[in-house]
């Protein structure tokens, strides 16, 4: 009994191609294109040869063009009088593009054409057949001016048919440009000087007028020289601030008196004690009134306060001395005596005051408090009205003064501005006067044009590079287009890399034998033939895959690819090796194996899957022996209406398990994967599935989609069998395949 394979199609990981990264895919496409370029290298060589021929014709027939160049240095000669800040080299660098454009301006080109018109005829070769008014345009077409980065240098270049004409034209353009720059800047200096002088006179007139207005305004407002922002404040403003502070204090005092008066009236109506208001009214006044009412001398109260402070000092001194002397020390005894006498006096005074205070009554205190508060309220209200009147007058004066001071500040600011402007104009006029005879921007010739010895066009190296790049690009483009149009696999490496599975065998095309029966199988009818060696090679390749492939399915991408003949010959090769081999025709739609062995009238797989009998008994009854040792066949049986449902049933799984237990090798012939999903369903139940590809027939995209469909259903694609590889396919599938490397079946013998 055979052990069951450990491969689980439901948990197996996808093959490497399905998990490939984008960079890996890109590399594969590049490698594939390079292989296609190698195979079609004759197209690339032809393109390079044609490009080289065209380049040679161009190089030897093209007109020679010479180029002369000169370098101009543009610098600033003085500060820019039109700017608020001096400018120099940085300003020229910032406007270098402007000076470049001036070289190609109509004024400069027209002057250059005038200078060229007086030159000898050999220097006017570029203008020989052109009218005079077109000369500036011809110069512009061949002239280029470009500033050198991070410098103040402009490089002027001109291309001509003659080296002498190129030098002469560059000289004419440079001379015209320098004349324009010199005249332009001289005219500007004169105009600027006139404008600045007129503006200076106007500013001086405004300055004198503004000074007179400022003096009159100061005299009118009696300016003391005090301004906002200094630590000293104008007296009028100080008075307003002091009056405001006094008003607030008086109002606060009035409100306090009014609230006290209301509280006294309420307390009198309710019969409460009014003595508490004596000290609330005014501590000094209340204490004096209370002492007089009690018949006590106010000086006695001061004496009591002095005695209490003296008691505090004596107690502190006694505490300090007690730490150093005993209780009988003279000083301690004296301090104790004084403390006792002072405490006795204070107690006696307080007792007398309390006794007198008890004698006072509300009938005496109420009228007295009312009269005092009413008198003080009247004084406070009159004082408040006086302060408010004075505050309003002072505030009006301060506001008027502030407006005048604002006018004064505006006048002073305007005067300062006019003075600054006048000084700036004087400075600018002085600068213009100093440099009036000079141009503000200087142009100097750093490098004069030299007579060119070699033409710049056509250039040999440039021509070679362009021809090589063009020829190579056209050749590679042709290879790419032809490769797209030829949608076939062109090498075993390409087939293996794009499908992500090894090419297990290459099967050649060979002649058919019998139409049906066991004699139609080449490995049985003629086992010593060279072509049959490929199936034994395929058998060995399956053995060395590293997987237990005891249950194996075979399918193809399209009908007619020869999968039935491949599986029949492979099963015979296994049987000849002494293995009990079972071949099952699971193509329930168009059974090729059943037709090949002439078993179309027999019951088979469809009968077994639709029945309810025991799997072992039913399968044993369906087995047919075709007359080849160790080879057993189960035909497809009658065609069912629902092949996919039968193949995905639980009886199919039980049947596959029974086959594995009773045979050494099990092969299942499946329908083409692109025609039906039956192959993928069966492939999930087995250890693996092989894909038969006919390179000269199958389109690349169809085969790739077939492999992708198998992997999407997690079937284990163990390898590829390339079928019908011809011996005459030199450079493609024909190279490197000799004895035993490939077999094929004839188109007649390849039955589906």
């Amino acid at each position: 009994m055979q052990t069951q394979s450990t491969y689980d199609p439901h948990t197996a990981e996808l093959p490497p191609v399905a998990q490939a990264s984008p960079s890996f895919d890109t590399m594969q496409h590049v490698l594939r294109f390079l292989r296609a370029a190698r195979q079609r290298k004759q197209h690339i060589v032809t393109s390079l040869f044609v490009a080289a021929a065209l380049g040679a014709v161009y190089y030897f027939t093209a007109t020679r063009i010479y180029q002369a160049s000169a370098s101009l240095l543009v610098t600033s000669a003085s500060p820019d009088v039109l700017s608020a800040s001096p400018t120099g080299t940085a300003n020229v660098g910032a406007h270098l593009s402007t000076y470049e454009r001036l070289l190609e301006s109509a004024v400069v080109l027209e002057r250059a054409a005038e200078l060229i018109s007086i030159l000898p005829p050999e220097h006017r070769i570029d203008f020989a057949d052109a009218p005079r008014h077109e000369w500036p345009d011809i110069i512009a077409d061949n002239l280029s001016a470009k500033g050198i980065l991070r410098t103040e240098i402009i490089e002027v270049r001109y291309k001509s048919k003659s080296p002498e004409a190129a030098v002469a034209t560059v000289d004419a353009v440079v001379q015209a440009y320098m004349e324009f720059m010199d005249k332009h800047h001289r005219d500007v200096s004169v105009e600027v000087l006139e404008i600045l002088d007129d503006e200076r006179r106007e500013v001086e007139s405004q300055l004198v007028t503004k000074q007179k207005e400022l003096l009159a305004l100061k005299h009118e407002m009696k300016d003391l020289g005090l301004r906002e922002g200094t630590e000293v404040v104008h007296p009028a403003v100080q008075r307003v601030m002091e009056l405001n502070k006094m008003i607030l204090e008086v109002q606060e005092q009035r409100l306090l008196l009014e609230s006290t008066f209301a509280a006294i009236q309420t307390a009198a109506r309710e019969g409460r004690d009014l003595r508490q208001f004596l000290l609330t009214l005014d501590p000094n006044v209340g204490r004096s009134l209370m002492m007089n009412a009690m018949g006590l001398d106010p000086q006695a109260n001061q004496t009591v306060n002095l005695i209490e402070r003296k008691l505090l000092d004596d107690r502190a001194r006694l505490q300090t001395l007690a730490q150093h002397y005993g209780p009988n020390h003279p000083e301690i005894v004296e301090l104790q005596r004084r403390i006792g006498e002072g405490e006795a006096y204070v107690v006696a005074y307080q007792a007398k005051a309390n006794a007198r205070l008890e004698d006072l009554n509300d009938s005496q205190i109420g009228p007295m408090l009312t009269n005092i508060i009413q008198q003080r309220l009247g004084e406070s209200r009159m004082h408040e009205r006086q302060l408010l009147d004075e505050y309003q007058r002072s505030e009006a004066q301060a506001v008027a003064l502030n407006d005048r001071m604002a006018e004064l500040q505006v006048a002073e600011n305007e005067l300062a501005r006019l003075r600054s402007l006048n000084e700036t104009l004087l400075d600018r006029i002085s600068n213009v006067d100093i440099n009036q005879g000079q141009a503000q921007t200087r142009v100097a010739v750093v490098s004069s044009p030299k007579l060119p010895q070699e033409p710049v066009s056509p250039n040999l190296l440039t021509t070679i590079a362009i021809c090589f790049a063009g020829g190579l690009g056209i050749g590679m483009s042709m290879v790419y287009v032809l490769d797209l149009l030829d949608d076939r696999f062109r090498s075993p490496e390409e087939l293996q890399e794009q499908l992500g599975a090894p090419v297990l065998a290459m099967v050649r095309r060979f002649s058919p034998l019998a139409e049906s029966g066991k004699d139609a199988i080449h490995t049985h009818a003629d086992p010593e033939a060279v072509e049959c060696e490929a199936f034994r090679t395929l058998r060995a390749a399956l053995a060395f895959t590293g997987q237990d492939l005891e249950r194996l399915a075979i399918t193809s991408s399209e009908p007619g690819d020869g999968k039935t003949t491949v599986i029949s010959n492979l099963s015979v090769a296994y049987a000849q090796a002494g293995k009990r081999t079972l071949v099952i025709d699971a193509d329930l739609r168009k059974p090729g194996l059943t037709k090949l062995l002439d078993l179309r009238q027999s019951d088979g797989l469809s009968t077994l899957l639709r029945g309810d009998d025991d799997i072992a008994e039913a399968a044993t009854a369906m087995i047919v022996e075709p007359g080849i040792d160790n080879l057993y066949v189960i035909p497809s049986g009658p065609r069912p209406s629902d092949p996919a449902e039968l193949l995905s049933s639980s009886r199919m799984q039980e049947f596959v398990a029974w086959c594995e237990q009773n045979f050494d090798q099990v092969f299942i012939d499946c329908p083409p994967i692109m025609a039906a999903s039956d192959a993928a369903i069966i492939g999930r139940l087995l250890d693996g599935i092989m894909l038969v590809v006919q390179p000269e027939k199958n389109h690349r995209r169809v085969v790739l989609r077939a492999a992708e469909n198998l992997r999407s259903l997690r079937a284990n694609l163990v390898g590829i069998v390339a079928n019908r590889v011809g011996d005459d396919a030199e450079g493609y599938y024909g190279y490197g395949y000799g004895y035993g490397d490939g077999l094929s079946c004839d188109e007649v013998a390849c039955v589906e």
Side-chain angles (χ1 to χ4, degrees):
M1 181 180 296
Q2 303 294 326
T3 58
Q4 188 172 359
S5 172
T6 58
Y7 172 76
D8 187 353
H10 300 280
T11 60
E13 296 184 356
L14 290 176
V17 167
Q19 301 172 348
S21 63
S23 59
F24 179 80
D25 292 339
T26 302
M27 184 182 300
Q28 294 300 318
H29 287 304
V30 172
L31 293 176
R32 175 180 169 276
F33 178 73
L34 292 177
R35 285 193 297 270
R38 183 187 63 182
Q39 294 162 358
R40 290 189 170 93
K41 55 183 176 292
Q42 67 275 12
H43 296 87
I44 300 176
V45 173
T46 302
S47 298
L48 289 173
F49 178 78
V50 173
L54 293 176
V57 172
Y58 164 76
Y59 181 78
F60 289 107
T61 59
T63 303
R64 268 42 181 174
I65 302 297
Y66 297 87
Q67 177 177 277
S69 63
S71 299
L72 302 179
L73 176 64
V74 183
T75 57
S76 178
S78 66
D80 187 358
V81 298
L82 298 178
S83 175
S85 62
T87 60
T89 301
N91 187 45
V92 172
H95 297 85
L96 193 61
S97 60
T98 302
Y99 297 119
E100 294 174 15
R101 297 294 298 274
L102 285 174
L103 275 163
E104 301 175 358
S105 63
V107 176
V108 174
L109 296 179
E110 181 61 35
R111 175 56 181 162
E114 293 178 2
L115 296 174
I116 293 173
S117 63
I118 61 178
L119 296 177
E122 61 269 16
H123 292 170
R124 291 183 278 124
I125 188 173
D126 299 327
F127 316 97
D129 300 328
R132 173 64 180 78
H133 66 275
E134 294 182 0
W135 288 18
D137 296 334
I138 296 175
I139 298 174
D141 293 339
N142 297 284
L143 182 70
S144 64
K146 183 174 181 59
I148 300 177
L149 185 63
R150 298 180 181 176
T151 67
E152 302 167 16
I153 297 176
I154 301 176
E155 189 171 10
V156 184
R157 298 177 179 177
Y158 182 81
K159 295 180 180 180
S160 174
K161 300 175 183 178
S162 168
E164 293 81 6
V167 173
T169 305
V170 170
D171 285 334
V173 171
V174 170
Q175 182 179 347
Y177 179 71
M178 296 182 68
E179 291 178 0
F180 170 79
M181 294 293 289
D182 184 65
K183 181 179 182 299
H184 171 73
H185 284 287
R186 287 179 185 275
D187 294 343
V188 169
S189 298
V190 174
E191 293 177 3
V192 168
L193 182 61
E194 293 177 356
I195 293 172
L196 291 178
D197 192 54
D198 293 341
E199 187 175 355
R200 180 190 59 79
R201 286 195 293 269
E202 182 179 355
V203 170
E204 286 183 350
S205 175
Q206 294 178 2
L207 184 61
V208 172
T209 303
K210 189 59 66 177
Q211 286 177 340
K212 292 180 180 179
E213 292 179 358
L214 182 62
L215 290 175
L217 186 60
K218 285 185 176 181
H219 180 74
E220 179 183 352
M221 64 178 298
K222 299 178 181 180
D223 181 35
L224 300 177
L226 303 178
R227 294 288 184 274
E228 183 179 0
T230 63
E231 296 182 357
V232 182
V233 183
H234 198 280
V237 179
Q238 289 182 349
R239 179 172 178 78
V240 173
M241 295 171 61
E242 292 294 334
L243 287 173
N244 182 62
K245 182 178 180 181
M246 293 172 63
I247 290 172
L248 292 177
E249 293 177 352
V250 170
Q251 289 177 345
E252 182 180 358
Q253 184 179 6
R254 175 178 57 78
L255 292 175
L256 179 62
L257 290 172
E258 288 177 351
S259 61
T260 303
F261 182 68
I264 291 173
Q265 289 180 336
T266 302
R269 286 195 302 270
E270 295 176 356
R272 290 184 290 165
D273 187 6
L274 300 177
R275 284 174 291 183
Q276 59 179 332
F277 295 101
L278 290 174
L279 296 178
T280 303
L281 179 64
D282 191 331
N284 296 326
V285 176
R287 187 178 294 107
S288 176
L289 291 174
M290 186 174 64
M291 293 299 178
N292 292 334
M294 293 188 297
L296 298 176
D297 186 4
Q299 298 296 329
N301 186 42
Q302 297 179 1
T303 303
V304 171
N305 292 335
L306 292 174
I307 291 174
E308 289 178 346
R309 288 195 294 271
K310 184 64 176 175
L311 283 174
L312 293 175
D313 295 339
D314 290 344
R315 290 191 184 105
R317 180 170 176 76
L318 176 62
Q319 185 176 3
T320 302
L321 293 176
Q323 297 176 359
H324 303 284
Y325 304 106
N328 297 324
H329 192 274
E331 287 193 36
I332 293 179
V333 173
E334 178 62 22
L335 286 174
Q336 290 176 347
R337 182 186 64 77
R338 287 205 304 267
I339 291 172
E341 291 177 355
E343 291 176 348
Y345 182 82
V346 172
V347 171
Y349 180 81
Q350 290 178 351
K352 182 178 178 181
N354 293 333
R356 294 291 181 87
L357 186 60
E358 294 294 334
D359 295 337
L360 291 176
N361 52 41
D362 293 339
S363 60
Q364 296 173 341
I365 297 175
M368 177 177 60
L369 290 175
T370 302
N371 292 334
I372 293 174
I373 291 177
Q374 288 178 345
Q375 180 181 358
R376 296 189 66 183
L377 273 174
E379 295 174 355
S380 177
R381 288 168 179 163
M382 183 178 295
H383 190 198
E384 182 180 357
R385 284 195 298 271
Q386 293 174 353
L387 289 175
L388 286 173
D389 293 340
E390 184 65 22
Y391 177 80
Q392 292 175 355
R393 289 192 297 272
S394 300
E395 184 181 32
Q397 294 176 359
V399 171
L401 176 64
N402 186 65
D403 294 341
R404 301 298 289 173
M405 290 183 68
E407 294 177 5
L408 180 62
Q409 185 65 43
V410 170
E412 290 180 345
N413 292 340
E414 181 66 16
L415 182 62
R417 185 188 69 81
L418 291 173
R419 286 174 178 169
S420 176
L421 180 59
N422 186 60
E423 293 176 358
T424 302
L425 291 173
L426 290 174
D427 183 58
R428 294 181 181 178
I429 291 172
S430 176
N431 291 334
V432 173
D433 286 337
I434 293 174
N435 300 286
Q436 187 171 1
Q438 306 175 7
Q440 301 301 323
T441 301
R442 293 180 178 177
V443 180
V445 179
V446 179
S447 172
S448 299
K450 297 180 181 180
L451 194 67
Q453 301 299 323
E454 298 292 337
V456 295
S457 176
N459 183 271
L460 180 59
L461 294 179
T462 304
T463 304
I464 293 175
I466 293 176
C467 292
F468 179 78
L472 184 63
I474 294 174
M476 298 296 276
S477 300
M478 292 174 61
V479 169
Y480 180 76
V481 172
L482 291 174
D483 188 62
L484 287 180
L485 296 177
D486 184 11
D487 190 20
R488 300 291 191 276
F489 292 101
R490 305 192 59 80
S491 68
E493 292 82 2
E494 181 181 359
L495 182 64
Q496 178 171 318
E497 289 172 359
Q498 295 198 22
L499 295 183
V503 177
L504 300 176
M506 311 296 293
V507 181
R508 295 181 184 177
R509 181 182 293 109
F510 51 84
S511 302
L513 299 177
E515 294 184 359
S516 62
K518 62 181 181 178
D519 293 333
I521 303 175
H522 287 72
T523 52
H524 171 71
D526 189 9
E528 300 301 327
V530 175
E531 293 83 356
C532 297
E533 187 65 27
F535 295 105
R536 289 185 282 272
T537 302
L538 177 57
R539 182 185 65 192
L542 292 173
F544 288 104
T545 57
Q547 304 180 44
D548 293 332
L549 302 177
E550 298 175 356
R551 302 175 300 172
L552 194 62
I554 296 181
T555 185
S556 61
S557 59
E558 299 174 283
D561 290 341
K563 65 177 179 61
T564 299
T565 303
V566 170
I567 194 173
S568 61
N569 282 273
L570 180 60
S571 60
V572 170
Y574 269 87
Q576 290 172 349
K579 292 183 176 289
R580 285 173 49 83
T581 305
L582 175 64
V583 184
I584 303 171
D585 189 355
D587 191 349
L588 304 181
R589 306 172 188 270
K590 189 178 180 182
L593 182 63
T594 301
K595 180 180 179 181
L596 176 65
L597 297 177
D598 199 14
L599 300 174
R600 285 175 288 186
Q601 304 301 324
S602 304
D603 292 335
L605 181 62
S606 61
T607 308
L608 184 148
L609 296 179
R610 285 186 296 185
D612 297 328
D613 300 337
D614 181 68
I615 290 292
E617 295 178 358
T620 302
M622 301 297 175
I623 292 177
V624 176
E625 296 184 18
I628 301 175
D629 294 340
N630 296 321
L631 182 64
Y632 305 91
V633 179
I634 294 182
S636 63
R639 181 175 181 178
S641 59
D642 49 355
E645 184 176 352
L646 287 178
L647 294 174
S648 60
S649 64
S650 59
R651 285 183 65 84
M652 182 64 185
Q653 298 180 21
E654 296 176 8
F655 172 63
V656 170
W658 177 86
C659 293
E660 183 181 14
Q661 293 175 357
N662 291 274
F663 293 92
D664 298 329
Q665 186 68 41
V666 179
F667 290 107
I668 298 181
D669 186 6
C670 301
I673 185 63
M674 298 305 296
S677 61
D678 301 357
I681 295 174
I682 297 173
R684 290 172 56 88
L685 304 176
L686 305 181
D687 299 326
I689 187 169
M690 286 193 304
L691 181 64
V692 176
V693 177
Q694 189 176 157
E696 297 182 4
K697 169 181 174 291
N698 297 137
H699 292 276
R700 182 188 295 114
R701 60 181 180 275
V702 176
V703 178
L704 290 174
R705 191 177 301 116
E708 182 180 352
N709 289 346
L710 290 173
R711 290 197 177 96
S712 65
L713 294 175
R714 309 193 72 84
N716 180 26
L717 180 59
V718 298
I720 310 298
V721 176
N723 190 30
R724 294 181 187 168
V725 177
D727 294 334
D728 56 346
E730 183 179 358
Y732 298 90
Y733 277 95
Y735 75 88
Y737 306 122
Y739 177 80
D741 279 342
L743 306 177
S744 180
C745 54
D746 193 291
E747 296 181 3
V748 179
C750 292
V751 184
E752 289 292 345

